[in-house]
PDB file of all heavy atoms in Angstrom:
ATOM      1  N   LEU A  11       5.353   9.754  -9.276  1.00 42.00           N
ATOM      2  CA  LEU A  11       4.781   9.949 -10.579  1.00 42.00           C
ATOM      3  C   LEU A  11       4.396  11.388 -10.761  1.00 42.00           C
ATOM      4  O   LEU A  11       4.643  12.045 -11.709  1.00 42.00           O
ATOM      5  CB  LEU A  11       3.617   8.987 -10.799  1.00 42.00           C
ATOM      6  CG  LEU A  11       3.016   9.032 -12.246  1.00 42.00           C
ATOM      7  CD1 LEU A  11       4.019   8.352 -13.208  1.00 42.00           C
ATOM      8  CD2 LEU A  11       1.693   8.273 -12.280  1.00 42.00           C
ATOM      9  N   ARG A  25      10.000  26.506 -26.352  1.00 92.00           N
ATOM     10  CA  ARG A  25      10.640  27.818 -26.283  1.00 92.00           C
ATOM     11  C   ARG A  25      10.763  28.371 -27.698  1.00 92.00           C
ATOM     12  O   ARG A  25      11.142  27.682 -28.629  1.00 92.00           O
ATOM     13  CB  ARG A  25      12.041  27.645 -25.679  1.00 92.00           C
ATOM     14  CG  ARG A  25      12.602  28.955 -25.158  1.00 92.00           C
ATOM     15  CD  ARG A  25      13.637  28.662 -24.137  1.00 92.00           C
ATOM     16  NE  ARG A  25      14.906  28.124 -24.626  1.00 92.00           N
ATOM     17  CZ  ARG A  25      15.845  28.884 -25.196  1.00 92.00           C
ATOM     18  NH1 ARG A  25      15.691  30.150 -25.339  1.00 92.00           N
ATOM     19  NH2 ARG A  25      16.952  28.327 -25.640  1.00 92.00           N
ATOM     20  N   SER A  27      12.924  31.096 -29.482  1.00 89.00           N
ATOM     21  CA  SER A  27      14.076  31.920 -29.227  1.00 89.00           C
ATOM     22  C   SER A  27      13.855  33.367 -29.694  1.00 89.00           C
ATOM     23  O   SER A  27      13.248  33.559 -30.768  1.00 89.00           O
ATOM     24  CB  SER A  27      15.284  31.344 -29.907  1.00 89.00           C
ATOM     25  OG  SER A  27      16.371  32.277 -29.864  1.00 89.00           O
ATOM     26  N   PRO A  55      38.222  19.355 -64.337  1.00 98.00           N
ATOM     27  CA  PRO A  55      37.007  18.884 -63.676  1.00 98.00           C
ATOM     28  C   PRO A  55      36.521  19.966 -62.648  1.00 98.00           C
ATOM     29  O   PRO A  55      37.385  20.526 -61.931  1.00 98.00           O
ATOM     30  CB  PRO A  55      37.413  17.657 -62.942  1.00 98.00           C
ATOM     31  CG  PRO A  55      38.652  17.184 -63.609  1.00 98.00           C
ATOM     32  CD  PRO A  55      39.364  18.403 -64.117  1.00 98.00           C
ATOM     33  N   GLY A  67      28.259   1.437 -47.272  1.00 98.00           N
ATOM     34  CA  GLY A  67      29.346   2.400 -47.047  1.00 98.00           C
ATOM     35  C   GLY A  67      30.724   2.004 -47.537  1.00 98.00           C
ATOM     36  O   GLY A  67      31.715   2.551 -47.134  1.00 98.00           O
ATOM     37  N   TYR A 105      22.753  17.363 -70.801  1.00 98.00           N
ATOM     38  CA  TYR A 105      21.382  17.613 -71.026  1.00 98.00           C
ATOM     39  C   TYR A 105      21.101  19.046 -71.408  1.00 98.00           C
ATOM     40  O   TYR A 105      22.021  19.912 -71.266  1.00 98.00           O
ATOM     41  CB  TYR A 105      20.533  17.259 -69.722  1.00 98.00           C
ATOM     42  CG  TYR A 105      20.723  18.274 -68.632  1.00 98.00           C
ATOM     43  CD1 TYR A 105      19.805  19.342 -68.490  1.00 98.00           C
ATOM     44  CD2 TYR A 105      21.737  18.197 -67.695  1.00 98.00           C
ATOM     45  CE1 TYR A 105      20.000  20.302 -67.521  1.00 98.00           C
ATOM     46  CE2 TYR A 105      21.898  19.117 -66.684  1.00 98.00           C
ATOM     47  CZ  TYR A 105      21.021  20.189 -66.632  1.00 98.00           C
ATOM     48  OH  TYR A 105      21.171  21.126 -65.618  1.00 98.00           O
ATOM     49  N   TYR A 114      29.630  18.509 -69.559  1.00 98.00           N
ATOM     50  CA  TYR A 114      29.681  16.989 -69.568  1.00 98.00           C
ATOM     51  C   TYR A 114      29.719  16.563 -68.123  1.00 98.00           C
ATOM     52  O   TYR A 114      30.672  16.831 -67.397  1.00 98.00           O
ATOM     53  CB  TYR A 114      30.868  16.531 -70.394  1.00 98.00           C
ATOM     54  CG  TYR A 114      30.752  17.087 -71.816  1.00 98.00           C
ATOM     55  CD1 TYR A 114      31.498  18.208 -72.175  1.00 98.00           C
ATOM     56  CD2 TYR A 114      29.895  16.470 -72.723  1.00 98.00           C
ATOM     57  CE1 TYR A 114      31.376  18.766 -73.470  1.00 98.00           C
ATOM     58  CE2 TYR A 114      29.779  17.026 -74.004  1.00 98.00           C
ATOM     59  CZ  TYR A 114      30.483  18.124 -74.375  1.00 98.00           C
ATOM     60  OH  TYR A 114      30.334  18.671 -75.603  1.00 98.00           O
ATOM     61  N   ASN A 169      24.862  34.115 -46.940  1.00 96.00           N
ATOM     62  CA  ASN A 169      24.366  33.345 -45.774  1.00 96.00           C
ATOM     63  C   ASN A 169      24.588  31.839 -46.060  1.00 96.00           C
ATOM     64  O   ASN A 169      24.981  31.128 -45.145  1.00 96.00           O
ATOM     65  CB  ASN A 169      22.863  33.603 -45.563  1.00 96.00           C
ATOM     66  CG  ASN A 169      22.573  34.987 -45.051  1.00 96.00           C
ATOM     67  OD1 ASN A 169      23.221  35.487 -44.086  1.00 96.00           O
ATOM     68  ND2 ASN A 169      21.676  35.687 -45.747  1.00 96.00           N
ATOM     69  N   TYR A 193      18.626  26.547 -56.102  1.00 98.00           N
ATOM     70  CA  TYR A 193      17.615  27.580 -56.351  1.00 98.00           C
ATOM     71  C   TYR A 193      17.822  28.190 -57.749  1.00 98.00           C
ATOM     72  O   TYR A 193      17.421  29.341 -58.016  1.00 98.00           O
ATOM     73  CB  TYR A 193      17.590  28.662 -55.278  1.00 98.00           C
ATOM     74  CG  TYR A 193      16.974  28.160 -53.985  1.00 98.00           C
ATOM     75  CD1 TYR A 193      17.721  27.302 -53.192  1.00 98.00           C
ATOM     76  CD2 TYR A 193      15.711  28.558 -53.580  1.00 98.00           C
ATOM     77  CE1 TYR A 193      17.152  26.797 -52.007  1.00 98.00           C
ATOM     78  CE2 TYR A 193      15.135  28.037 -52.453  1.00 98.00           C
ATOM     79  CZ  TYR A 193      15.876  27.179 -51.684  1.00 98.00           C
ATOM     80  OH  TYR A 193      15.307  26.711 -50.461  1.00 98.00           O
ATOM     81  N   TYR A 218      35.112  16.207 -50.716  1.00 98.00           N
ATOM     82  CA  TYR A 218      35.907  15.497 -49.683  1.00 98.00           C
ATOM     83  C   TYR A 218      35.050  14.617 -48.734  1.00 98.00           C
ATOM     84  O   TYR A 218      35.571  13.860 -47.945  1.00 98.00           O
ATOM     85  CB  TYR A 218      36.676  16.554 -48.826  1.00 98.00           C
ATOM     86  CG  TYR A 218      37.642  17.305 -49.610  1.00 98.00           C
ATOM     87  CD1 TYR A 218      37.338  18.516 -50.234  1.00 98.00           C
ATOM     88  CD2 TYR A 218      38.955  16.786 -49.826  1.00 98.00           C
ATOM     89  CE1 TYR A 218      38.270  19.208 -50.982  1.00 98.00           C
ATOM     90  CE2 TYR A 218      39.893  17.485 -50.567  1.00 98.00           C
ATOM     91  CZ  TYR A 218      39.518  18.657 -51.131  1.00 98.00           C
ATOM     92  OH  TYR A 218      40.445  19.348 -51.936  1.00 98.00           O
ATOM     93  N   HIS A 349      12.707  22.901 -46.095  1.00 98.00           N
ATOM     94  CA  HIS A 349      11.595  23.624 -46.722  1.00 98.00           C
ATOM     95  C   HIS A 349      11.263  24.916 -46.011  1.00 98.00           C
ATOM     96  O   HIS A 349      11.172  25.942 -46.639  1.00 98.00           O
ATOM     97  CB  HIS A 349      10.376  22.684 -46.771  1.00 98.00           C
ATOM     98  CG  HIS A 349       9.380  23.096 -47.796  1.00 98.00           C
ATOM     99  ND1 HIS A 349       9.675  23.656 -48.998  1.00 98.00           N
ATOM    100  CD2 HIS A 349       8.000  22.954 -47.806  1.00 98.00           C
ATOM    101  CE1 HIS A 349       8.553  23.897 -49.661  1.00 98.00           C
ATOM    102  NE2 HIS A 349       7.510  23.467 -48.955  1.00 98.00           N
ATOM    103  N   THR A 367     -13.956  10.670 -38.630  1.00 90.00           N
ATOM    104  CA  THR A 367     -15.401  10.464 -38.174  1.00 90.00           C
ATOM    105  C   THR A 367     -15.560  10.861 -36.741  1.00 90.00           C
ATOM    106  O   THR A 367     -16.450  11.650 -36.402  1.00 90.00           O
ATOM    107  CB  THR A 367     -15.786   8.981 -38.340  1.00 90.00           C
ATOM    108  OG1 THR A 367     -15.520   8.622 -39.687  1.00 90.00           O
ATOM    109  CG2 THR A 367     -17.272   8.784 -37.998  1.00 90.00           C
ATOM    110  N   ALA A 375       1.643  13.207 -26.772  1.00 95.00           N
ATOM    111  CA  ALA A 375       2.985  12.709 -26.370  1.00 95.00           C
ATOM    112  C   ALA A 375       3.056  11.212 -26.685  1.00 95.00           C
ATOM    113  O   ALA A 375       2.055  10.510 -26.408  1.00 95.00           O
ATOM    114  CB  ALA A 375       3.206  12.936 -24.890  1.00 95.00           C
ATOM    115  N   ASP A 400       1.474  31.738 -33.061  1.00 94.00           N
ATOM    116  CA  ASP A 400       1.505  32.129 -31.669  1.00 94.00           C
ATOM    117  C   ASP A 400       0.148  31.797 -31.077  1.00 94.00           C
ATOM    118  O   ASP A 400      -0.846  32.189 -31.679  1.00 94.00           O
ATOM    119  CB  ASP A 400       1.802  33.655 -31.605  1.00 94.00           C
ATOM    120  CG  ASP A 400       2.062  34.101 -30.184  1.00 94.00           C
ATOM    121  OD1 ASP A 400       2.546  33.271 -29.412  1.00 94.00           O
ATOM    122  OD2 ASP A 400       1.765  35.294 -29.924  1.00 94.00           O
ATOM    123  N   TYR A 405       3.498  20.666 -29.361  1.00 96.00           N
ATOM    124  CA  TYR A 405       4.417  19.707 -29.916  1.00 96.00           C
ATOM    125  C   TYR A 405       5.781  20.341 -30.195  1.00 96.00           C
ATOM    126  O   TYR A 405       6.751  19.666 -30.504  1.00 96.00           O
ATOM    127  CB  TYR A 405       3.867  19.109 -31.181  1.00 96.00           C
ATOM    128  CG  TYR A 405       3.496  20.052 -32.309  1.00 96.00           C
ATOM    129  CD1 TYR A 405       4.500  20.633 -33.114  1.00 96.00           C
ATOM    130  CD2 TYR A 405       2.143  20.351 -32.611  1.00 96.00           C
ATOM    131  CE1 TYR A 405       4.154  21.494 -34.132  1.00 96.00           C
ATOM    132  CE2 TYR A 405       1.801  21.222 -33.621  1.00 96.00           C
ATOM    133  CZ  TYR A 405       2.847  21.767 -34.400  1.00 96.00           C
ATOM    134  OH  TYR A 405       2.474  22.676 -35.431  1.00 96.00           O
ATOM    135  N   GLU A 410      13.593  28.750 -33.774  1.00 95.00           N
ATOM    136  CA  GLU A 410      14.294  29.993 -33.903  1.00 95.00           C
ATOM    137  C   GLU A 410      14.444  30.301 -35.395  1.00 95.00           C
ATOM    138  O   GLU A 410      14.786  29.386 -36.201  1.00 95.00           O
ATOM    139  CB  GLU A 410      15.654  29.946 -33.269  1.00 95.00           C
ATOM    140  CG  GLU A 410      16.416  31.282 -33.409  1.00 95.00           C
ATOM    141  CD  GLU A 410      17.818  31.285 -32.729  1.00 95.00           C
ATOM    142  OE1 GLU A 410      17.882  30.786 -31.605  1.00 95.00           O
ATOM    143  OE2 GLU A 410      18.769  31.733 -33.343  1.00 95.00           O
ATOM    144  N   SER A 453      14.529   0.625 -25.043  1.00 65.00           N
ATOM    145  CA  SER A 453      13.404  -0.146 -24.451  1.00 65.00           C
ATOM    146  C   SER A 453      13.837  -1.539 -24.004  1.00 65.00           C
ATOM    147  O   SER A 453      12.964  -2.286 -23.559  1.00 65.00           O
ATOM    148  CB  SER A 453      12.277  -0.291 -25.563  1.00 65.00           C
ATOM    149  OG  SER A 453      12.765  -0.833 -26.691  1.00 65.00           O
ATOM    150  N   ARG A 458      17.407   0.198 -19.702  1.00 43.00           N
ATOM    151  CA  ARG A 458      16.673   0.755 -18.628  1.00 43.00           C
ATOM    152  C   ARG A 458      17.623   0.990 -17.402  1.00 43.00           C
ATOM    153  O   ARG A 458      17.538   1.968 -16.736  1.00 43.00           O
ATOM    154  CB  ARG A 458      15.533  -0.138 -18.160  1.00 43.00           C
ATOM    155  CG  ARG A 458      14.398  -0.126 -19.160  1.00 43.00           C
ATOM    156  CD  ARG A 458      13.048  -0.163 -18.451  1.00 43.00           C
ATOM    157  NE  ARG A 458      11.951  -0.157 -19.410  1.00 43.00           N
ATOM    158  CZ  ARG A 458      11.542   0.929 -19.952  1.00 43.00           C
ATOM    159  NH1 ARG A 458      12.050   2.103 -19.627  1.00 43.00           N
ATOM    160  NH2 ARG A 458      10.529   0.908 -20.805  1.00 43.00           N
TER     161      ARG A 458
END
Side-chain angles (χ1 to χ4, degrees):
L11 187 69
R25 197 155 75 79
S27 169
Y105 74 92
Y114 302 98
N169 291 309
Y193 288 74
Y218 298 92
H349 201 33
T367 307
D400 192 27
Y405 59 76
E410 179 178 319
S453 57
R458 287 218 179 280

